[in-house]
Every structure is written in C-alpha cells, then in structure tokens.
Amino acid sequence: AITAFISPYRLDRDRVRQSLADGDFVEVFVDAPIEICEKRDPKGLYKKARAGELKGFTGIDDPYEGPEKPELRLDAGEKTAEELADEVVMYLKKAGKLG
C-alpha cells in the first residue's frame, strides 16, 4: 500500500516504521521549499495561516521535522509531479517492491 501524509514529526514516522517488518516502510521525502508550497497553494491555506486565520499550520506556526535518512528524496522544487512519480516507481522497482 502507498499512502501520503503530512507527517511533520519524526517520532510519528519512526513509530510507523517500527510497527512494520524491516524494509516494509519506505520513507519518501517530497522536498518542497515553503516558498514553492505557497506558490502552488490552490486553496490559499498558506496565506490564511500567515494571516493568523489558521492555527497549527505545518511550516508556518507549527514545526516540521524533516527526515534524517529517507529512503527516497524527491526534489519538488525542480521537477514536475510526473517526473517525481516516475522516480517513486523506479525506486520501488529497484527495491523489488513493484513488479
């Protein structure tokens, strides 16, 4: 199963990793600078968070703890969504997790 979450805390991610068999948790870090996130924000949530209308918004008034050693790091500032998806598929194939 592939799931996508905003998981800002290392401890939460580590707990999920520990609950699975070795090698079953693949941490994919979509590395997107906050400026890129704000630029691509179709709902204007970052603008609302900066204006104080949304509290506890990751990266604005709530912390984000980036992964220390993700299995895969994707550069979302430089590549298209399609290119990033291709990187995930290639990684999973090379790791023997996808046929």
Side-chain angles (χ1 to χ4, degrees), residues 15-53:
R15 284 182 179 154
V16 173
R17 182 185 297 274
Q18 291 170 2
S19 73
L20 299 170
D22 283 345
D24 282 353
F25 182 87
V26 176
E27 187 171 19
V28 178
F29 175 40
V30 180
D31 191 353
I34 195 152
E35 300 82 21
I36 298 290
C37 294
E38 290 181 272
K39 184 178 176 182
R40 294 178 180 171
D41 180 19
K43 296 180 182 178
L45 298 178
Y46 282 92
K47 186 176 180 179
K48 289 179 182 178
R50 289 212 183 268
E53 297 172 29

Side-chain angles (χ1 to χ4, degrees), residues 4 6 9-11 19 36 41 43 45 51 54 58 65 92:
I6 297 173
Y9 302 107
R10 278 188 206 104
L11 181 61
S19 73
I36 298 290
D41 180 19
K43 296 180 182 178
L45 298 178
L54 293 176
T58 301
E65 300 170 353
L92 293 172

